[in-house]
Amino acid sequence: MLIEQLINGLTLGSIYVVVALGYTLVFGVLNIVNMGHGEIFMFGAFMGVIVTNSLGLPLYVAFLVAIIVTGILGYFLERFALRPLRGKEGVSHLAPLISTIGVSIFLENAAHHFFGAGNQPFRTSFSELNITIGSTTVYYVQILIFVIAILLMFGLTFWLSKTKAGKALRASAENLAVASLLGVNTKRVITQTVIIASAMGGIAGILVGIAFNSVNPQMGLSFGLKGLAIIILGGLGNVRGAMAGGLILGLSETFLVAYGNSGYRDAIAFIAIIVILIVRPQGLFGTSTSKSKG
């Protein structure tokens, strides 16, 4: 049972990591928490339901459709909710946050209208495939989720550190004005960052769908708040912190359900926030002198 719970914890933690990475990218460049990310993630999950259940297409097509749709939603979020507020004199620093909350409410109501208010089953034959190692059953879905999370984590780290576009993003995250003076097209970098973060949310939505076999319009709020908890736990804007925080939260929740009281499962993320803010306000991997960078 311990091994199975460890696998379940790594699976859940991997999903949390992918959600948190989207928050981390946007915060690292714009220094804001995108409260619309959870609902974009939820739309990605519903794209998976439509593609696999309604259209009967393979799972990889669901991933492609979710990436495209959530990427487009990310573009519109940046273009109409964030860009008009950027650089405006007299605009409160809370205005972009409030704007993304408005996007979140709009997307959730749109999901209610288009998909209904209840749970929608996410049926795929892939979810039933498994292998047995001794007395432990491992589902292919769990392996897929873990592998995708690892690939995204290392791929994002490589992109940020080794590619020209990634270095431009890091320069913009350090100082938008200076990066612009050095020839970086900061407007394009910001748009690109929000689109990539949103596409990662779409991938996470599919992963949640195949892991739990159902999706609903309210799931964006729950996973979105946990993603926020993770980036605070790991350190705002820190990619490594998002990875560690997601796995820690996933394992903690799983073992609490298995060996403790499952009623407190959702509370653990916010207890972690309170403890971290008291003991180490900058997060596990953050720095106290400046904004953390991935």
Side-chain angles (χ1 to χ4, degrees), residues 39 42-43 46-47 73 102-117 217:
E39 277 60 42
M42 174 264 295
F43 259 82
F46 273 106
M47 291 304 103
L73 288 175
V103 171
S104 168
I105 295 171
F106 171 78
L107 290 177
E108 183 175 341
N109 280 276
H112 276 281
H113 177 74
F114 290 114
F115 309 123

Side-chain angles (χ1 to χ4, degrees), residues 250-264:
L251 288 167
S252 300
E253 284 191 5
T254 301
F255 281 104
L256 182 66
V257 170
Y259 300 106
N261 189 332
S262 60
Y264 294 100

